[in-house]
Amino acid sequence: MSSVLPWPRRPISNVYDAAYSGVPNWDIGRPQSAFVQLADAGLVRSPVLDVGCGTGELTLYLARQGYDVLGVDLSSLAVSQAREKAHWRRIPAQFVVLDALDLAALADRGFSFRTVLDSAMFHVLGDEERDRFVRALETVVERGGLYCVLGDVRRNSDAVYGLTPAELRRRFGDGWTVVFSYEAVFERRWSSNPAHFVGLRRR
């Protein structure tokens, strides 16, 4: 698989490249605890897709545990840093520069996944982008596959940023079933936020 898939990146990619020129607040140097607990509970099954993987801590953690996992991010700088970590830690993890709204490109190449993990990617998408992501997700998630998302609690009902379990049920519709939903924490380098952790299974 080529490291960069051939279509224009969204302008927001430049914003994330700028963030990863330093160490962004959300890059805590380890996976979010909610996903470690998910793996410990035996709910992660290979192959795994880590959408919005950033510098790869979750992908690297799972690969070290023996999972077949692919990390994707629209920031080429973040993916470069993730590959460097994989090299120096000697972990056989794979990373691709890819906009999560274009997951169909993976399906076109024969990829499908039993588990998709989303550590704070969905909660930054715009309204139309969220629906587009759900459609893209359905191209790569196998029947019976699980999508798990951790995102900040939406503090303002008029805002788009953040998420609610009710919104996820509405956007994902009848083709998906919520299998767990609970309050969690999204950890940052200098703070933490109340979050929702939700798992949806494709019917």
Side-chain angles (χ1 to χ4, degrees):
M1 178 187 297
S2 65
S3 61
V4 181
L5 296 174
W7 52 79
R9 298 195 301 163
R10 285 186 289 153
I12 192 68
S13 64
N14 296 326
V15 174
Y16 285 104
D17 283 344
Y20 286 110
S21 65
V23 181
N25 194 20
W26 62 81
D27 191 344
I28 60 175
R30 55 182 168 78
Q32 294 284 326
S33 299
F35 291 103
V36 174
Q37 294 165 8
L38 189 76
D40 288 346
L43 294 178
V44 177
R45 298 184 299 166
S46 294
V48 182
L49 177 65
D50 179 9
V51 293
C53 67
T55 64
E57 291 295 342
L58 177 56
T59 300
L60 292 165
Y61 171 81
L62 293 172
R64 178 170 276 166
Q65 302 300 314
Y67 291 94
D68 177 12
V69 55
L70 173 67
V72 301
D73 200 283
L74 86 171
S75 169
S76 58
L77 183 55
V79 168
S80 176
Q81 292 174 13
R83 289 177 179 150
E84 186 173 357
K85 288 181 182 181
H87 171 74
W88 288 109
R89 297 180 194 178
R90 299 183 179 180
I91 300 173
Q94 299 296 314
F95 297 95
V96 170
V97 178
L98 174 68
D99 190 334
L101 301 185
D102 293 312
L103 294 179
L106 293 178
D108 291 344
R109 289 161 172 79
F111 285 84
S112 63
F113 301 91
R114 298 174 75 190
T115 310
V116 176
L117 304 179
D118 177 345
S119 183
M121 192 279 298
F122 184 91
H123 80 174
V124 301
L125 295 178
D127 184 56
E128 293 182 1
E129 290 173 335
R130 294 180 185 214
D131 289 334
R132 182 178 166 189
F133 173 68
V134 173
R135 293 193 297 270
L137 199 58
E138 289 173 347
T139 68
V140 295
V141 178
E142 300 175 0
R143 299 284 180 182
L146 189 65
Y147 167 67
C148 303
V149 55
L150 178 70
D152 286 343
V153 169
R154 179 174 294 142
R155 298 179 182 273
N156 183 339
S157 61
D158 295 327
V160 174
Y161 178 83
L163 59 83
T164 69
E167 177 199 7
L168 292 171
R169 291 187 182 93
R170 175 177 60 81
R171 288 191 188 270
F172 280 77
D174 294 336
W176 299 76
T177 301
V178 174
V179 292
F180 66 81
S181 176
Y182 61 88
E183 294 181 0
V185 172
F186 183 74
E187 304 161 272
R188 290 173 168 80
R189 295 182 69 208
W190 304 293
S191 62
S192 63
N193 279 25
H196 293 295
F197 193 39
V198 182
L200 300 104
R201 191 173 303 282
R202 191 176 182 205
R203 295 178 182 173

